[in-house]
Amino acid sequence: MYGLATLITEKLANNTWEDVVTEKILRPLGMHDTTFGTRSGENVENIARSYVEQEKRRLVQVPSSFKRKWANLGASGSIQTSANDISKWMRFLLNGNTSLLCNIFKVRNYAIQTKNRFHRPEMPVEYTNDQYAFGWNKGHYRGYPIIVHTGTSWGDASVLLLFPEEKLAVFVVFTGSDTKHLKRILLAQYVADLYLGFEPWINATSIKDFVVPKHKSKCPKPPTRRSTIGLFPRNFPECRKTVTKPSNISSLPSNFSNYDGIYNNILWGNISVTYNTESQGLFLTYGFATFQLLPRSRTLRAFAAKGIGEMCFMRLSSVNFGYTRNQGITSMTIPSFERSSPPTFLKIS
């Protein structure tokens, strides 16, 4: 959605998205410390480093080269800003009758999310955000109308919480993972309680009773047998320079080359799969990302995937191949791309 919005903006303005945002928003608001992931230098010292948590709570830095490539895919996750500049943006959003948000939630502009609308509360105070419009969610916190937007990129998590009637805005951002947005929401609520005059419900006692659901990866533990073959660039020392050999499965079948080929989805594009005879590894390449496929079953139809090179921080828990007796491998489905509607790629060569 955001990538499409970026493209439409550039077509209408006949200019780059970065230049349009700079001219129409950043410069008028005096946000001179704000830049874009597509334009920031690799060795800039005043940019926070991004980290993801892997097995055994091991932190791995997300390479800046990957961040720039990811930013090129669309507007989402491309802005790099400072606390002072984000405060200027929040004041603009709350600026009375001229507010950008003053009419955004008219009935014709928002939709009520009906899926899982009724559920067990995750916190002991009122918090809802079930109305959606143009990238913003509307709801209530402690009876106050709120407007919320969360942002998640690889190794970064943020939330912007607005109280339009109180002229209050809270912005929280940190590096690391926050799968269900709960950590950032709790921090924003704590700050909001202080400014609204409430005793924060999160304290040293209640935090012990409030268990944030921990994301459990479905990716199996990597096999212990490893073989170094030098596939990793030297400028990523945080990545282990190893490729995992499949274990607990005697050997990959002699017809493993049946997996080789190009797989196509009309919306998602092409994925290539190759088999490396030296490492006995199967590799998946999608755009600038390359993963090693690790068998999850003895049928060798279900795989997990771990990134290599600058993608070493990334994992895919489910990559499934379709098979027929007459044709062999015919397709590949990747639930890790889209859980609600997993895309299927048909083998075309």
Side-chain angles (χ1 to χ4, degrees):
M1 178 175 70
Y2 297 111
L4 180 59
T6 303
L7 178 61
I8 293 174
T9 300
E10 292 182 335
K11 293 295 184 180
L12 292 177
N14 194 29
N15 203 346
T16 65
W17 177 80
E18 292 88 346
D19 286 343
V20 173
V21 172
T22 299
E23 178 184 348
K24 301 294 184 180
I25 298 177
L26 303 184
R27 193 175 298 154
L29 294 180
M31 298 173 64
H32 303 300
D33 292 329
T34 300
T35 184
F36 305 89
T38 53
R39 294 181 174 179
S40 63
E42 183 173 355
N43 298 317
V44 178
E45 295 182 354
N46 63 343
I47 294 181
R49 301 295 183 253
S50 303
Y51 293 86
V52 296
E53 183 179 315
Q54 292 188 353
E55 63 273 4
K56 297 182 180 180
R57 297 188 176 181
R58 185 173 67 96
L59 294 179
V60 176
Q61 182 177 328
V62 179
S64 57
S65 58
F66 167 81
K67 300 283 284 187
R68 286 196 302 277
K69 291 177 181 177
W70 186 260
N72 271 319
L73 298 180
S76 179
S78 178
I79 293 288
Q80 296 178 340
T81 189
S82 65
N84 186 50
D85 272 12
I86 200 67
S87 68
K88 296 175 182 179
W89 170 246
M90 293 189 294
R91 283 196 294 268
F92 166 69
L93 294 176
L94 295 173
N95 188 22
N97 293 330
T98 63
S99 168
L100 180 69
L101 304 178
C102 61
N103 293 317
I104 197 172
F105 283 101
K106 290 183 178 180
V107 174
R108 70 175 183 271
N109 290 336
Y110 73 81
I112 297 177
Q113 298 176 358
T114 57
K115 183 178 180 181
N116 297 327
R117 190 178 176 194
F118 298 100
H119 58 274
R120 181 180 179 180
E122 295 178 321
M123 50 198 69
V125 295
E126 177 199 16
Y127 177 76
T128 62
N129 62 346
D130 58 356
Q131 298 174 355
Y132 183 82
F134 302 121
W136 295 92
N137 286 86
K138 181 181 178 182
H140 291 84
Y141 176 64
R142 290 188 183 270
Y144 291 93
I146 59 172
I147 295 175
V148 188
H149 181 75
T150 58
T152 304
S153 185
W154 297 104
D156 302 294
S158 64
V159 62
L160 180 58
L161 176 60
L162 302 169
F163 294 80
E165 295 182 357
E166 303 300 315
K167 302 300 181 187
L168 171 65
V170 180
F171 181 71
V172 173
V173 62
F174 53 81
T175 63
S177 58
D178 185 22
T179 305
K180 293 191 175 183
H181 301 174
L182 288 177
K183 297 176 185 177
R184 68 194 89 173
I185 293 295
L186 295 180
L187 286 172
Q189 289 179 355
Y190 181 88
V191 175
D193 282 347
L194 294 176
Y195 279 86
L196 293 172
F198 292 102
E199 181 71 23
W201 69 271
I202 284 289
N203 52 51
T205 301
S206 64
I207 196 65
K208 297 178 182 178
D209 300 326
F210 184 80
V211 180
V212 177
K214 182 173 177 58
H215 174 68
K216 295 182 179 180
S217 174
K218 296 181 179 179
C219 180
K221 292 182 179 180
T224 56
R225 227 170 106 219
R226 298 180 181 275
S227 169
T228 300
I229 62 171
L231 287 181
F232 296 87
R234 293 182 178 179
N235 56 337
F236 298 114
E238 67 274 15
C239 303
R240 286 173 287 186
K241 298 182 180 181
T242 59
V243 169
T244 304
K245 280 189 176 182
S247 62
N248 300 324
I249 298 176
S250 56
S251 62
L252 298 178
S254 57
N255 63 344
F256 209 69
S257 59
N258 285 345
Y259 291 82
D260 284 10
I262 304 297
Y263 298 75
N264 173 265
N265 177 285
I266 191 171
L267 179 62
W268 292 79
N270 291 341
I271 288 180
S272 66
V273 176
T274 56
Y275 175 56
N276 185 296
T277 55
E278 179 184 357
S279 65
Q280 297 183 22
L282 193 63
F283 296 89
L284 178 154
T285 299
Y286 183 48
F288 55 79
T290 299
F291 300 86
Q292 184 187 6
L293 295 173
L294 304 174
R296 297 180 58 189
S297 69
R298 292 185 177 275
T299 63
L300 297 179
R301 301 292 176 261
F303 292 77
K306 71 172 187 177
I308 64 174
E310 65 180 355
M311 305 297 298
C312 64
F313 63 92
M314 193 179 296
R315 299 290 188 267
L316 301 178
S317 60
S318 300
V319 178
N320 304 320
F321 286 89
Y323 172 84
T324 65
R325 182 172 298 179
N326 295 332
Q327 296 178 288
I329 300 298
T330 59
S331 64
M332 172 173 50
T333 301
I334 308 182
S336 295
F337 279 9
E338 181 62 53
R339 293 289 179 187
S340 59
S341 181
T344 294
F345 298 77
L346 300 180
K347 189 176 183 181
I348 59 176
S349 67

